Amino acid sequence: MLVAVVGVGLVGSEFVNQLLSIPAESSPFRLISLSSSSRTVFFEPANAILSPEKWKTVISTSNEKPDYETLTRKLSGFINPSTKVAIVDNTSSDDIASFYPKWLKAGINVITPNKKAYSGDLGLYEQILRASKESGARFLNESTVGAGLPVISTLKELVATGDKIKKIEGVFSGTMSYIFNEFSTGSPDGPSFSSVVSVAREKGYTEPHPADDLNGFDVARKLTILSRAIGSSSLPSLQSFASVQTTSLIPPALEGIPTGDEFLKRLPEFDEEFDKMRKDASKEGKVLRFVGVVDGVKGEVKAGLEKYPTSHPFATSLGGSDNIIMFHTERYSPRPLIIQGAGAGAAVTAMGVLGDLLKLV
C-alpha cells in the first residue's frame, strides 16, 4: 500500500516514526510522500522513504511547496486492483479536510485524527459518505475521539451488529478530565479553579489559551462525530458541532479575552462561583465532571458540567487526563460497556491512526 502523509507536527512525526518502525521487509506500506504546511516531497514507489532516521532531513531540505491538486493526481495514477493508496491527514486543518470527498472519489483511502470534516458542516460529511460509497475507498477516523482508545470502532461494531444505542456518556476531554479530577474530589474544599487551570496549562494539558478548552467545543465536536456514526433518526440532525447543546465554563465577563495570559490573570475573580459549585456537589456526596452525552432515548446531544456520586466510575476510575466512555445499549444493560484510558498524547493518537491504516491491509 502506498501512503502519503499530510502534517508532520507532533502527532504526524510520531505517526511517521511508528510507521517506519515496522521492519521494511515485512511492512505492507511504502511511504512515498510527506507534506508539512510549507514543504513537500514525493517519490516513486521504488524510492519510498524507509529510514526513520532520515525522513525529517528529507522534508526539511525540500524546496517544493505543497500542492494537493497535484498530489491527488499523482496518487490516483498509482491505483489499480493490486495497489491501494491512502492519505493520512495529521493536521487540524479545515482546508485539508475539504479535500476528503475528492480523494475518496478518486479511490484514495483517507485516515485521520482531524475532527474537522466529521464534526463540521453536515454537507461536507454527507459528501464524504457519498464519495466513499461510490468509489469503495474508505475513511477511518478512530483517533478523532479518545486518541488511540477503540471508541469509534466499538460504536461502529455495535451499530453494524444490530445493537441499539440507548446512551453514550463520557469524559471526552483530557483537559477537562485533569481539571475536574484535581478540582473536585468529593471534598467541599480544595485548590481554586483558577489555580488548577493554570497548572493544567503549565503541564501542557490545555491549549495556549485555556478558553479554547473551557468553551466545551472539543467535546461538542466529539459528540457530533459519535452521533453521526450512530445515524439514528431518534437523534437530532446536527448541522455542525455548534448544534450541540454546550454549556461553556468561560465566565461571560471573560468571553473574547484575546490572550491566554490575560484570561488566567482574570479567572481568579470567579473562583468563588466554582467553589460554591464544588461545595454544593460535596453536600450531595457528589463530584463535578465535564461530560458529553448522546442520548438516543431522549433524542438529545449535550455537553456540560454534571454531578456524579463519589462511587461512580467518573469519580473513582479517572486519573490525570484519562478519558472514560460508557455505552448503554440494549445488549450492554443494565451495566454499560466501559472504555477508559489515555485520551490524549502524540504516541497514543498516532497509534490509533496507524491502527486504522492497518485495517486497510
Side-chain angles (χ1 to χ4, degrees):
M1 180 180 296
L2 304 180
V3 180
V5 175
V6 179
V8 289
L10 199 62
V11 172
S13 293
E14 177 65 25
F15 168 77
V16 173
N17 288 335
Q18 289 185 18
L19 179 70
L20 295 179
S21 70
I22 303 172
E25 61 274 11
S26 60
S27 176
F29 307 115
R30 289 295 175 266
L31 178 58
I32 61 170
S33 179
L34 291 166
S35 299
S36 68
S37 58
S38 58
R39 302 172 189 271
T40 190
V41 290
F42 190 95
F43 296 97
E44 292 299 314
N47 300 316
I49 303 164
L50 300 174
S51 170
E53 291 80 27
K54 294 179 181 176
W55 71 264
K56 287 187 178 180
T57 304
V58 168
I59 190 167
S60 66
T61 55
S62 171
N63 294 318
E64 197 173 339
K65 303 293 182 190
D67 180 342
Y68 297 110
E69 296 288 355
T70 300
L71 178 64
T72 306
R73 192 170 61 252
K74 285 181 176 178
L75 292 176
S76 300
F78 290 122
I79 297 171
N80 62 54
S82 62
T83 305
K84 292 181 181 178
V85 175
I87 288 182
V88 179
D89 170 23
N90 292 308
T91 74
S92 59
S93 164
D94 282 302
D95 291 338
I96 302 299
S98 70
F99 275 93
Y100 294 0
K102 179 175 284 190
W103 289 338
L104 290 163
K105 199 168 184 179
I108 301 168
N109 300 284
V110 176
I111 310 291
T112 187
N114 184 351
K115 291 186 278 290
K116 299 296 174 65
Y118 305 105
S119 63
D121 179 64
L122 180 60
L124 174 60
Y125 181 69
E126 290 175 338
Q127 286 179 47
I128 289 169
L129 294 180
R130 281 196 300 272
S132 175
K133 191 173 183 180
E134 284 174 19
S135 70
R138 297 175 67 188
F139 63 90
L140 295 167
N141 60 320
E142 184 70 76
S143 289
T144 55
V145 180
L149 296 176
V151 176
I152 289 177
S153 55
T154 299
L155 175 59
K156 285 181 176 178
E157 286 184 14
L158 290 170
V159 172
T161 56
D163 202 354
K164 184 177 179 183
I165 310 298
K166 294 180 178 179
K167 183 165 74 169
I168 302 172
E169 61 180 327
V171 175
F172 291 95
S173 163
T175 304
M176 294 291 207
S177 179
Y178 174 82
I179 288 172
F180 285 99
N181 290 341
E182 295 295 311
F183 177 72
S184 178
T185 61
S187 166
D189 302 308
S192 68
F193 185 75
S194 62
S195 69
V196 172
V197 173
S198 184
V199 170
R201 188 195 190 208
E202 287 169 15
K203 291 187 172 184
Y205 287 134
T206 76
E207 297 292 335
H209 197 319
D212 292 337
D213 293 294
L214 296 178
N215 60 20
F217 287 176
D218 177 64
V219 176
R221 284 191 179 278
K222 292 169 182 175
L223 296 177
T224 303
I225 292 167
L226 295 176
S227 179
R228 288 174 174 176
I230 295 169
S232 171
S233 58
S234 67
L235 289 168
S237 179
L238 301 172
Q239 294 304 308
S240 79
F241 74 93
S243 304
V244 174
Q245 302 172 45
T246 307
T247 304
S248 171
L249 296 185
I250 302 171
L254 301 190
E255 288 280 3
I257 295 230
T259 69
D261 288 341
E262 188 181 345
F263 181 86
L264 285 177
K265 191 176 178 182
R266 297 263 327 263
L267 192 57
E269 297 170 23
F270 303 90
D271 279 340
E272 278 188 26
E273 292 178 26
F274 285 99
D275 189 54
K276 183 180 184 305
M277 285 191 278
R278 175 170 57 193
K279 280 183 164 60
D280 289 346
S282 179
K283 284 176 188 173
E284 298 175 34
K286 294 180 177 180
V287 296
L288 297 168
R289 294 293 181 262
F290 194 93
V291 300
V293 176
V294 178
D295 195 322
V297 177
K298 293 182 179 177
E300 64 181 16
V301 184
K302 63 179 183 177
L305 202 58
E306 302 284 351
K307 291 182 280 191
Y308 287 89
T310 52
S311 58
H312 192 279
F314 289 1
T316 61
S317 298
L318 290 170
S321 59
D322 280 0
N323 283 185
I324 184 168
I325 297 95
M326 290 182 165
F327 292 89
H328 301 267
T329 76
E330 278 191 349
R331 293 176 189 150
Y332 286 93
S333 181
R335 287 172 297 145
L337 185 160
I338 300 176
I339 296 172
Q340 177 190 340
V348 290
T349 302
M351 180 202 77
V353 176
L354 183 55
D356 273 349
L357 192 61
L358 286 163
K359 291 169 190 171
L360 298 176
V361 176

